[in-house]
Amino acid sequence: MDWSQLSGALIGLVGVPLGILLGEMLRRRQRTEQFAAAMFAKRLEAYDALLGLVIDGKRIADEVIQNAELSAAERHELISAAILPVADFVDRNALYIDEELGAHCTALFMGMEDIGDLPEAEREKGITQFQRQWRETHRMILEDSGVAKISQVFRDVNRPTITSPVIER
């Protein structure tokens, strides 16, 4: 047996298992990518619905803040109507929504029913804090859902010039 026959056999012995391993790795990677696409779509749906519920809750909170004629019981009932749908939705979509973000969204409106009973200085401070938390919640939902990153990619590809007197303020 000479060296050329021996090298051909060795290449065959090493090549077949190596080919099997590479094929399996590629197959698993493809399966993971398919699963990731489906998971991303479900997460995006869940975060879209969560953002809708949080926006609805903000409308209710704004009503509680602005309407001084509401009684304490009415304010409590309205804020509960903002909190409970968010909490229920977060619980039902725990596979897709980050646990900490879900807890934050649920707690966002808690305490807003008491804002009407506060002295003016504390009331303004509470409103400012709520508005800051609202903006932060909106940002976190966009980031955790992946929409912020995708929007940045679109901006990089399209390079739009978005400007107006309102934006430039």
Side-chain angles (χ1 to χ4, degrees), residues 97-118:
I97 295 174
D98 179 76
E99 184 178 336
E100 291 175 352
L101 181 56
H104 174 83
C105 291
T106 301
L108 177 64
F109 305 108
M110 291 181 180
M112 293 304 297
E113 67 273 14
D114 299 329
I115 209 139
D117 298 332
L118 297 175

Side-chain angles (χ1 to χ4, degrees), residues 28 30 49 54 62 88 94 102 108 112-113 138 141 143 147 150 161:
R28 287 183 182 188
Q30 183 181 18
V54 172
D62 288 342
D88 182 52
L108 177 64
M112 293 304 297
E113 67 273 14
H138 191 262
I141 290 173
E143 281 189 16
V147 171
I150 291 171
T161 303

Side-chain angles (χ1 to χ4, degrees), residues 64-110:
V64 168
I65 290 169
Q66 294 169 3
N67 192 344
E69 297 176 5
L70 293 172
S71 69
E74 291 170 327
R75 291 192 311 257
H76 179 75
E77 187 177 324
L78 284 171
I79 291 299
S80 294
I83 295 170
L84 294 177
V86 172
D88 182 52
F89 184 81
V90 166
D91 287 344
R92 284 186 287 111
N93 290 279
L95 285 175
Y96 307 111
I97 295 174
D98 179 76
E99 184 178 336
E100 291 175 352
L101 181 56
H104 174 83
C105 291
T106 301
L108 177 64
F109 305 108
M110 291 181 180

Side-chain angles (χ1 to χ4, degrees), residues 111-132:
M112 293 304 297
E113 67 273 14
D114 299 329
I115 209 139
D117 298 332
L118 297 175
E120 188 61 31
E122 288 183 42
R123 183 175 189 278
E124 290 303 318
K125 184 178 175 184
I127 291 170
T128 302
Q129 181 180 2
F130 169 70
Q131 291 169 341
R132 187 174 35 254

